Amino acid sequence: MLYIGCHLSSSKGFLHMGKEARSIGANTFQFFTRNPRGGSAKSFDAEDAAAYCAFAEKEGIGSVIAHAPYTLNACAADEGLREFAVNTMRDDLFRLSHIPGCLYNFHPGSHVKQGMERGIELIAETLNAVLPEAKGTTVLLETMAGKGSEVGGKFEELRAIIDRVELPEKLGVCLDSCHVFDGGYDIVNDLEGVLNEFDRIIGLDKLKAIHLNDSKNLYGTKKDRHACLGEGNIGLDALMKLVNHSALRGLPIGLETPNDLAGYAREIALVKSLYRG
Ligand code: FE
Ligand code: FE
Ligand code: ZN
């Protein structure tokens, strides 16, 4: 079964997102839990969440991906900033507990001169404070491009975080095709090798979601700029080999390409037309 969708605005609530997803042919979607650059969230609307759940069930919408604001830094040197990350993630997880089977994706963080080792330690510490609040939600570490002091540009870094977490069963990984390509994993010429490496280091059982993006930058440049499918340096063939790979069967696939809704509808139709179920 192919679960494909895109990033949607969460400003009008869950039910609105569900309806919008269906209107563009999607059966999953992604959204920011709050303003991606800020911290505040609207008050929680349990009625909207319940209405969405009934709609999702009826319409066959699968697991959806909530994305934490990318200003959170779970390994910030400043203790107050780390505490802010913990409180925000806990509040998000409380809200998401009303959406069964939800995935909660976040950017592991930037160690900013503290060193990779310390960054990994602090991220695990943040997760250990947060994961007990995950009720029916799986928290996902996103594979990053390795820009600047980003943690998570290498599979080994994600593995080291997982190894330090007390509730690893509540933790998984979201693979972003643009990020891994920019980060030096050659999904164009050696997809099999990359997935084998993922399996050897992290374990494919930990792979819970995909961000499907082409890349404006070249392989290994550690840049992270998304392109529309087929309009970047990964190309449609390689992206579809990923989508059609048996290791990804049934995982929610979210587009984060530079598109408006009509553009997303076209990309969703394109992926569906090239999917070999
Ligand atoms: Fe992301
Ligand atoms: Fe992503
Ligand atoms: Zn990105």
Side-chain angles (χ1 to χ4, degrees):
M1 179 76 177
L2 176 65
Y3 287 100
I4 176 91
C6 63
H7 193 91
L8 296 175
S9 163
S10 56
S11 63
K12 291 181 183 151
F14 281 109
L15 182 60
H16 185 269
M17 285 191 284
K19 288 182 173 168
E20 195 159 72
R22 293 308 288 140
S23 77
I24 56 172
N27 56 359
T28 181
F29 56 89
Q30 175 174 269
F31 59 97
F32 282 122
T33 52
R34 55 191 73 216
N35 184 324
R37 299 192 171 280
S40 67
K42 297 186 303 183
S43 61
F44 180 68
D45 185 347
E47 227 168 89
D48 172 56
Y52 164 75
C53 289
F55 179 82
E57 169 101 46
K58 182 167 66 89
E59 293 285 325
I61 298 178
S63 290
V64 294
I65 309 169
H67 197 307
Y70 44 68
T71 46
L72 290 192
N73 189 0
C75 61
D78 182 275
E79 204 190 321
L81 289 178
R82 291 203 306 279
E83 206 177 286
F84 173 74
V86 167
N87 291 338
T88 302
M89 292 176 85
R90 278 185 176 154
D91 183 51
D92 281 349
L93 285 168
F94 162 75
R95 291 156 184 264
L96 297 173
S97 68
H98 293 79
I99 310 292
C102 195
L103 302 164
Y104 181 46
N105 175 71
F106 78 109
H107 295 181
S110 290
H111 65 70
V112 202
K113 293 181 186 156
Q114 301 176 93
M116 188 56 75
E117 197 51 32
R118 180 71 181 142
I120 287 166
E121 243 173 60
L122 289 174
I123 293 163
E125 209 173 272
T126 296
L127 281 169
N128 283 330
V130 157
L131 286 175
E133 299 306 312
K135 311 259 158 63
T137 302
T138 304
V139 177
L140 306 183
L141 297 158
E142 182 166 353
T143 60
M144 302 308 293
K147 192 172 46 175
S149 68
E150 258 173 13
V151 181
K154 296 235 173 319
F155 296 160
E156 285 85 353
E157 294 161 13
L158 299 177
R159 175 59 202 239
I161 295 168
I162 297 168
D163 280 342
R164 285 169 172 77
V165 157
E166 285 150 16
L167 297 169
E169 67 278 10
K170 295 187 178 213
L171 192 59
V173 172
C174 172
L175 185 142
D176 185 310
S177 57
C178 168
H179 296 178
V180 292
F181 177 76
D182 284 20
Y185 291 97
D186 193 356
I187 55 171
V188 175
N189 298 301
D190 188 19
L191 175 63
E192 225 38 62
V194 171
L195 291 176
N196 282 337
E197 193 171 341
F198 187 100
D199 193 34
R200 183 169 54 81
I201 295 166
I202 300 175
L204 280 169
D205 59 317
K206 283 280 172 209
L207 183 58
K208 304 294 183 192
I210 302 294
H211 284 164
L212 191 68
N213 306 305
D214 211 324
S215 173
K216 287 198 167 131
N217 290 103
L218 294 171
Y219 168 69
T221 48
K222 303 194 171 181
K223 283 272 174 56
D224 184 7
R225 280 183 69 217
H226 304 184
C228 288
L229 307 189
E231 293 177 16
N233 292 301
I234 301 175
L236 189 58
D237 274 6
L239 289 168
M240 284 313 301
K241 276 189 189 129
L242 180 67
V243 169
N244 282 315
H245 197 282
S246 60
L248 271 64
R249 274 295 124 85
L251 297 183
I253 298 173
L255 301 163
E256 302 174 308
T257 46
N259 269 313
D260 55 13
L261 268 188
Y264 276 135
R266 281 194 298 275
E267 282 194 342
I268 288 165
L270 176 66
V271 171
K272 281 180 173 174
S273 74
L274 297 171
Y275 176 68
R276 299 191 308 265

